[in-house]
């Protein structure tokens, strides 16, 4: 027995008119009767495509400014009737209702209206009611009707109609797409209400993030993993709507590292450069113009910087572009590039150049785990010097304070356990992702080499033992900043005093797993 569903009658009502005329003509050529509404009916009629209006079917005119037109039994009974059920068919015949075989619907442009800056009343009018109802009804009844929400599926749809009907597998695929379409639409609406109504709770009781595929990626973290880049509902897209100006396709790892580099660079008010490798900063500096910042960030760990991702928080000028010439770099991301910089960078065909605005502050971070997700407020360094406490007998000098505050900001973006050695506003060595804090100190010390002498240190969390301070002192560190809060704080502070080291306690931890 064939699972093909012949298409004889279709309801077509679309906000996005792309491909509409070709679809209408193709359906009519196959003998399909089209029922339509409002602007869709007018667009088809103007091109000579015969259409039956919904009002003719329902015997009821559109009302409430178009808010009510398809919400009628003559429409929904024709969509929801199970054609395998004789009783359903009998009831349709008694009521004089003809069944539909196809629904082609897409929804009012809610997100586009929000981004246009429209006022609340205009936005509310773009919350589609009839459209999602039609889509959900048809998708539920996929055994008896097909539903299409994406103009890109029109060609496949027409080919199936011309071939005798819609196969069950195609109808199921279209139904899945339809429910996802409505879910994304509802997620955008919920996000809009939350953006101005405010949350009455610490976290929403129901979190319904909506994501749509922006582009497929060649693979994920490894070649055997599938991957894609998705856009969140009601957003401009990944990294604020980043645009890849040149270079090869961005990889999964490129996007992750670009996000990490951009986030840290943008956290500085002064001009800054950050170099990231494997989602960790291996160098950061805010020491003058962008070219100087790049050179100082590179000096922190030139070996790790090879094949890294570079982020600037200002428009990249010619001098900064020239400073990057001698080092192989995968990606450079910035909020702007001068024409001279673009011309220079264009000569590096393997370099991906990404234009991305500064990140929006705040928001929630979502991390899926099996069977659920972990959600938290996005972390940010908000601690001020005046609120920090000097725990040692010696207070930091002004020069040490400058390095401590800079290193503290960098450490917040380094994977735990995190140790950052710095001087002034430039990193000298970064110890990241170690299972013990003293190992992170030793790693940062090794990266810094002789430059560790006279440096300052930032730790993202407390020192559980004095061994980390002893190792830092042996390297020549003169001052440290850390949250405090360990049961051995007194022992750790005493160790700092023994070494003549100044120590600042912030009272705030910045773990990053």
């Amino acid at each position: 027995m064939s699972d093909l569903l012949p298409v004889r009658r279709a309801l077509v009502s679309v906000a996005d008119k792309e491909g509409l005329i070709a679809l209408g003509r193709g359906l009519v050529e196959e003998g399909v009767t089209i029922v339509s509404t409002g602007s869709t009916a007018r667009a088809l009629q103007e091109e000579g495509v015969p259409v039956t209006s919904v009002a003719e079917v329902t015997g009821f005119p559109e009302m409430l400014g178009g808010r009510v037109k398809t919400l009628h039994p003559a429409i929904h009974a024709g969509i929801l009737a199970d054609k395998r059920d004789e009783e359903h068919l009998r009831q349709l015949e008694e009521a004089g209702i003809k069944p539909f075989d196809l629904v082609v619907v897409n929804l009012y442009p809610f997100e586009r209206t929000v981004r246009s800056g429209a006022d609340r009343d205009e936005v509310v009018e773009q919350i589609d009611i009839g459209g999602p109802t039609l889509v959900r009804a048809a998708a539920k009844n996929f055994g008896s009707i097909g539903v299409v929400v994406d103009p890109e599926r029109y060609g496949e749809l027409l080919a199936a109609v011309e071939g005798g009907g819609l196969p069950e597998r195609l109808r199921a695929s279209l139904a899945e797409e339809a429910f996802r379409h409505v879910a994304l639409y509802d997620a955008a609406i919920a996000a809009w209400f939350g953006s101005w109504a405010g949350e009455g709770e610490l976290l929403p009781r129901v979190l319904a993030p909506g994501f749509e595929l922006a582009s497929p990626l060649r693979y994920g973290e490894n070649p055997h993993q599938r991957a894609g880049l998705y856009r969140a509902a009601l957003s401009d897209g990944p990294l604020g709507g980043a645009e890849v100006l040149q270079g090869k396709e961005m990889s999964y790892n490129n996007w992750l590292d670009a996000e990490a580099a951009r986030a840290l660079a943008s956290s500085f008010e002064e001009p800054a450069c950050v170099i990231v490798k494997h989602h960790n900063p291996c160098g950061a500096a805010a020491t003058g113009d962008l070219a100087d910042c790049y050179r100082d960030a590179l000096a922190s760990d030139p070996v790790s910087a090879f094949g890294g991702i570079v982020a600037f928080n200002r428009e990249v000028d010619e001098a900064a572009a020239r400073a990057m010439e001698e080092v192989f770099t995968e990606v450079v991301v910035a909020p702007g590039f001068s024409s001279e910089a673009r011309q220079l960078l264009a000569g590096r065909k393997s370099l991906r150049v990404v234009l991305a605005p500064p990140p929006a502050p705040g928001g929630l971070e979502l991390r899926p785990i099996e069977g659920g997700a972990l959600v938290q407020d996005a972390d940010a360094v908000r601690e001020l010097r005046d609120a920090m406490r000097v725990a040692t007998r010696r207070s930091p000098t002004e020069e040490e304070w400058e390095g401590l505050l800079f290193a503290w900001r960098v450490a917040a973006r380094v994977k735990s356990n995190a140790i950052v050695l710095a001087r002034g506003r430039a990193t000298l060595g970064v110890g990241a992702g170690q299972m013990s804090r003293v190992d992170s100190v030793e790693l940062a010390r090794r990266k810094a080499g002789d430059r560790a002498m006279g440096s300052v240190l930032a730790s993202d969390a407390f020192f559980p033992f004095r061994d980390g301070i002893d190792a830092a002192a042996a390297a020549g560190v003169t001052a440290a900043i850390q949250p405090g809060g360990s049961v051995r704080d007194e022992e750790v502070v005493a160790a700092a005093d023994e070494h003549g080291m100044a120590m600042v306690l912030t009272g705030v931890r910045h773990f990053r797993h």
Side-chain angles (χ1 to χ4, degrees):
M1 179 177 177
S2 173
D3 70 348
L4 292 182
L5 172 71
V7 177
R8 305 180 183 90
R9 190 165 185 253
L11 175 66
V12 181
S13 179
V14 293
D16 181 355
K17 304 298 191 290
E18 180 187 350
L20 171 64
I21 305 307
L23 172 67
R25 286 174 176 159
L27 290 174
V28 170
E29 286 174 4
E30 294 301 315
V32 179
T33 298
I34 297 177
V35 177
S36 192
T37 63
S39 63
T40 302
R42 288 192 296 273
L44 290 167
Q45 289 166 345
E46 287 170 1
E47 295 297 326
V49 180
V51 172
T52 300
S53 73
V54 165
E56 290 180 59
V57 174
T58 64
F60 207 87
E62 295 183 13
M63 62 183 299
L64 304 182
R67 285 189 172 192
V68 177
K69 43 185 181 275
T70 59
L71 299 171
H72 192 280
I75 299 297
H76 282 277
I79 293 173
L80 284 166
D82 184 345
K83 293 169 185 169
R84 301 166 301 178
D85 189 319
E86 293 295 332
E87 179 62 18
H88 282 201
L89 296 177
R90 185 190 65 77
Q91 290 180 30
L92 287 185
E93 186 174 1
E94 284 184 358
I97 295 173
K98 296 179 181 179
F100 288 99
D101 308 301
L102 174 66
V103 167
V104 181
V105 171
N106 52 57
L107 310 179
Y108 294 166
F110 177 81
E111 288 197 59
R112 189 172 70 207
T113 304
V114 172
R115 286 197 292 268
S116 74
D119 63 32
R120 289 180 186 175
D121 287 344
E122 291 179 85
V123 171
V124 167
E125 284 306 310
Q126 294 304 313
I127 298 177
D128 204 332
I129 302 301
T133 305
L134 293 169
V135 169
R136 288 175 58 84
K140 171 181 177 175
N141 199 29
F142 77 97
S144 297
I145 189 169
V147 57
V148 180
V149 296
D150 186 350
E152 291 189 6
R153 302 297 292 267
Y154 290 173
E156 184 181 3
L157 168 67
L158 285 174
V161 173
E162 293 166 2
L166 310 181
E168 184 178 53
R169 186 176 294 275
L170 174 59
R171 299 197 306 273
S173 170
L174 292 169
E176 176 196 16
E177 189 171 279
F179 278 116
R180 293 188 187 280
H181 183 67
V182 174
L184 179 66
Y185 192 77
D186 286 343
I189 294 169
W192 177 74
F193 274 104
S195 70
W196 64 267
E199 293 290 349
E201 308 170 86
L202 178 62
L203 291 172
R205 290 183 61 83
V206 175
L207 191 64
F211 297 93
E212 66 175 342
L213 185 65
S215 64
L217 300 175
R218 286 181 298 163
Y219 53 81
E221 285 185 282
N222 301 290
H224 62 276
Q225 293 172 274
R226 295 183 303 164
L229 181 69
Y230 283 75
R231 181 191 71 86
L234 217 60
S235 80
D236 292 326
L239 303 194
E243 181 183 358
V244 181
L245 302 179
Q246 75 168 54
K248 297 185 297 182
E249 176 189 348
M250 291 275 285
S251 72
Y252 181 97
N253 293 331
N254 289 156
W255 281 111
L256 274 178
D257 288 345
E259 186 276 335
R262 167 179 173 260
L264 178 53
S266 298
S267 73
F268 294 102
E269 294 182 2
E270 59 270 46
C273 174
V274 173
I275 305 174
V276 160
K277 194 71 172 289
H278 302 311
H279 215 242
N280 271 308
C282 58
T287 48
D289 61 31
L290 291 187
D292 286 338
C293 290
Y294 173 77
R295 284 188 283 265
D296 288 336
L298 177 65
S300 175
D301 190 348
V303 173
S304 297
F306 181 85
I309 278 67
V310 176
F312 296 95
N313 65 351
R314 298 286 195 279
E315 179 183 271
V316 175
D317 56 17
E318 180 180 1
R322 286 196 183 280
M324 297 175 58
E325 285 182 328
E326 301 303 317
V327 180
F328 170 63
T329 300
E330 289 273 4
V331 180
V332 56
V333 56
F337 296 87
S338 71
S339 58
E340 295 83 2
R342 283 295 311 279
Q343 187 173 356
L344 277 172
L345 296 173
R348 303 177 62 176
K349 301 302 182 184
S350 61
L351 175 67
R352 301 161 178 88
V353 176
V354 179
L355 180 69
L364 296 177
E365 289 182 348
L366 174 67
R367 182 175 294 187
I369 58 174
E370 184 181 359
L374 295 167
V375 179
Q376 65 176 356
D377 293 321
D379 191 20
V381 176
R382 299 185 177 89
E383 302 83 65
L384 300 176
R385 172 176 166 175
D386 289 347
M388 297 176 182
R389 180 172 70 89
V390 177
T392 47
R393 289 192 292 267
R394 184 175 76 79
S395 294
T397 65
E398 285 303 310
E399 182 180 354
E400 287 171 334
W401 266 116
E402 179 184 41
L404 290 170
L405 296 174
F406 174 85
W408 179 245
R409 189 170 294 275
V410 175
R413 301 296 301 189
V414 176
K415 295 294 183 72
S416 301
N417 287 314
I419 295 291
V420 174
L421 298 184
R423 181 179 294 110
R425 292 196 300 272
T427 57
L428 302 175
V430 177
Q434 301 305 300
M435 283 64 77
S436 72
R437 194 154 298 275
V438 67
D439 284 347
S440 289
V441 174
E442 293 291 356
L443 179 57
R445 172 187 183 181
R446 181 165 60 83
K447 294 285 187 181
D450 293 340
R451 296 173 301 154
M453 186 64 65
S455 67
V456 300
L457 175 152
S459 173
D460 64 341
F462 63 64
F463 285 91
F465 305 100
R466 65 171 289 162
D467 54 0
I469 296 302
D470 292 334
V477 171
T478 64
I481 186 170
Q482 56 124 332
S486 168
V487 294
R488 294 186 176 86
D489 271 355
E490 288 187 10
E491 174 186 325
V492 170
V493 171
D497 279 329
E498 286 179 27
H499 296 297
M501 186 186 298
M503 179 171 285
V504 174
L505 304 183
T506 66
V508 179
R509 187 182 74 184
H510 288 288
F511 262 151
R512 190 167 187 83
H513 281 67

